[in-house]
Amino acid sequence: RGTTMSDFQRLSDKARAFAEARDWDKFHSPKNLTMALGGEVSELLDLFQWLTEAQSYELTPEQHRAAAHEIADVQIYLLRLADKLGVDIPSAVEEKMAINEARYPADQARGSARKYTAYQSKDDNGS
């Protein structure tokens, strides 16, 4: 089942209500939310830091639960940040995916980790 706009809105409303009930909304400026988001991403990174690539696919149940909780923390801060900035996450993702489709043509990017600038002609990127 895919995520719908109403799922994002419901979660965003819930995160907003959680912050408001604790009088934390006053601390949730875009700057502070972005900093908190970086901290949560760092906690997620810590879970994988010393794992091999193979181990990162074969988490123990405890590691999987910890990763799920950190992913949730990241998403909560993303929801709060989007709420504060008036960003519609599903629309922003759709727009960015369209940009990435143009930047990384499948016939040229398949199997390559090169940056999108490797696929642009000099005329395309202003050089």
Side-chain angles (χ1 to χ4, degrees), residues 19-91:
E20 287 172 353
R22 288 153 182 81
D23 197 25
W24 290 352
D25 196 57
K26 62 187 172 191
F27 304 118
H28 287 184
S29 67
K31 177 197 76 75
N32 288 351
L33 289 166
T34 302
M35 292 175 71
L37 177 61
E40 293 302 333
V41 169
S42 189
E43 289 180 23
L44 183 59
L45 285 168
D46 285 344
L47 298 174
F48 290 92
Q49 184 171 6
W50 303 114
L51 300 181
T52 66
E53 195 144 340
Q55 289 170 330
S56 73
Y57 284 103
E58 300 168 1
L59 300 177
T60 66
E62 295 80 18
Q63 289 170 318
H64 187 273
R65 182 180 169 116
H69 287 172
E70 294 308 333
I71 290 168
D73 284 340
V74 167
Q75 184 60 62
I76 291 165
Y77 279 121
L78 283 173
L79 288 167
R80 291 294 294 141
L81 180 60
D83 186 39
K84 289 293 185 174
L85 296 176
V87 172
D88 173 350
I89 293 174
S91 295

